Amino acid sequence: GAVVSQHPSRVICKSGTSVKIECRSLDFQATTMFWYRQFPKQSLMLMATSNEGSKATYEQGVEKDKFLINHASLTLSTLTVTSAHPEDSSFYICSARSGGLETQYFGPGTRLLVL
Amino acid sequence: AQSVTQLGSHVSVSEGALVLLRCNYSSSVPPYLFWYVQYPNQGLQLLLKYTSAATLVKGINGFEAEFKKSETSFHLTKPSAHMSDAAEYFCAVIEGGAQKLVFGQGTRLTINP
């Protein structure tokens, strides 16, 4: 099956610093990648959708200047949390979709803790 | 806009018993429906999906789900629960042509020995 990786799996940073999370599709080309946020014991909330080579589309309420998304190639998307604060601590999950397929394949997630 | 409702945030069954996780959707057009499973501190794994073919869909790990248009439901079942089935289960919907998955609230499945 399709494999999506995320790096790092866990990161702890100080308040005010920026953190970059990578999402890679390992065995297929992902024309679309999605970034989700999941708080403890809650469902996944879509943050943004990114298509290769174009700007990401952010969901209502998500600050695009705080959560920078770059989908530079068909196998890599990055999420940068800029000037992170403790309230940004969460589990961030990416998913990838190929072409016209309806199925999204999810990465293992990145747990961010901002001190 | 489409939405998904999972009835019961927590379901507990005995090992070997029937598993039934409920999901209802609202959609103005025939939807694509999915069940995902999430183990602690991991991403989501696709269990099965309905894409307007057979209404009874078989997935991995012995799970299956039946699409019932008249009831707008897509309940997940497994005849005999195993301890390894303990996890969080999410139902999700996507309308044909749209890109975004919309998730239900999730149901935590606990298996009692």
Side-chain angles (χ1 to χ4, degrees):
Chain A
V3 178
V4 177
S5 70
Q6 278 184 245
H7 178 80
S9 58
R10 178 185 293 266
V11 57
I12 301 173
C13 69
K14 293 181 179 180
S15 184
T17 61
S18 294
V19 175
K20 180 184 286 188
I21 303 170
E22 292 186 348
C23 176
R24 293 182 184 271
S25 57
L26 299 184
D27 52 1
F28 68 101
Q29 293 185 327
T31 50
T32 305
M33 288 186 167
F34 304 84
W35 287 96
Y36 296 84
R37 185 172 180 175
Q38 185 181 31
F39 290 106
K41 301 186 186 302
Q42 294 189 25
S43 188
L44 280 74
M45 298 299 296
L46 180 65
M47 298 174 66
T49 302
S50 72
N51 293 295
E52 187 265 339
S54 62
K55 290 184 178 180
T57 301
Y58 290 81
E59 295 299 299
Q60 190 172 8
V62 178
E63 300 175 59
K64 61 180 180 181
D65 294 331
K66 181 169 186 62
F67 298 100
L68 301 179
I69 292 173
N70 187 333
H71 192 165
S73 75
L74 286 172
T75 58
L76 173 64
S77 176
T78 60
L79 167 68
T80 301
V81 183
T82 62
S83 187
H85 288 90
E87 58 266 29
D88 298 324
S89 298
S90 189
F91 195 49
Y92 292 88
I93 304 176
C94 73
S95 70
R97 194 184 74 169
S98 176
L101 299 179
E102 68 284 346
T103 302
Q104 293 183 26
Y105 297 94
F106 286 80
T110 296
R111 186 159 303 281
L112 170 64
L113 177 62
V114 184
L115 301 177
Chain B
Q2 68 274 34
S3 69
V4 174
T5 302
Q6 291 182 239
L7 297 178
S9 59
H10 187 199
V11 171
S12 181
V13 302
S14 298
E15 188 174 19
L18 170 72
V19 175
L20 170 61
L21 304 182
R22 301 178 185 273
C23 173
N24 287 88
Y25 69 92
S26 64
S27 175
S28 58
V29 298
Y32 293 159
L33 291 157
F34 304 80
W35 275 100
Y36 286 89
V37 61
Q38 184 180 34
Y39 297 100
N41 296 310
Q42 295 186 27
L44 275 66
Q45 180 181 7
L46 179 67
L47 277 177
L48 49 82
K49 63 181 178 181
Y50 167 76
T51 56
S52 71
T55 56
L56 181 62
V57 182
K58 294 185 182 299
I60 62 172
N61 301 341
F63 284 94
E64 62 181 37
E66 185 173 7
F67 173 71
K68 292 187 177 181
K69 184 178 179 180
S70 61
E71 299 178 7
T72 60
S73 68
F74 190 58
H75 302 331
L76 181 70
T77 61
K78 181 174 181 177
S80 177
H82 191 273
M83 295 299 292
S84 61
D85 294 327
E88 189 85 19
Y89 291 79
F90 292 96
C91 182
V93 64
I94 184 172
E95 288 186 347
Q99 290 192 46
K100 296 186 284 189
L101 271 176
V102 177
F103 287 91
Q105 305 91 320
T107 298
R108 180 169 299 277
L109 176 63
T110 302
I111 312 298
N112 302 312

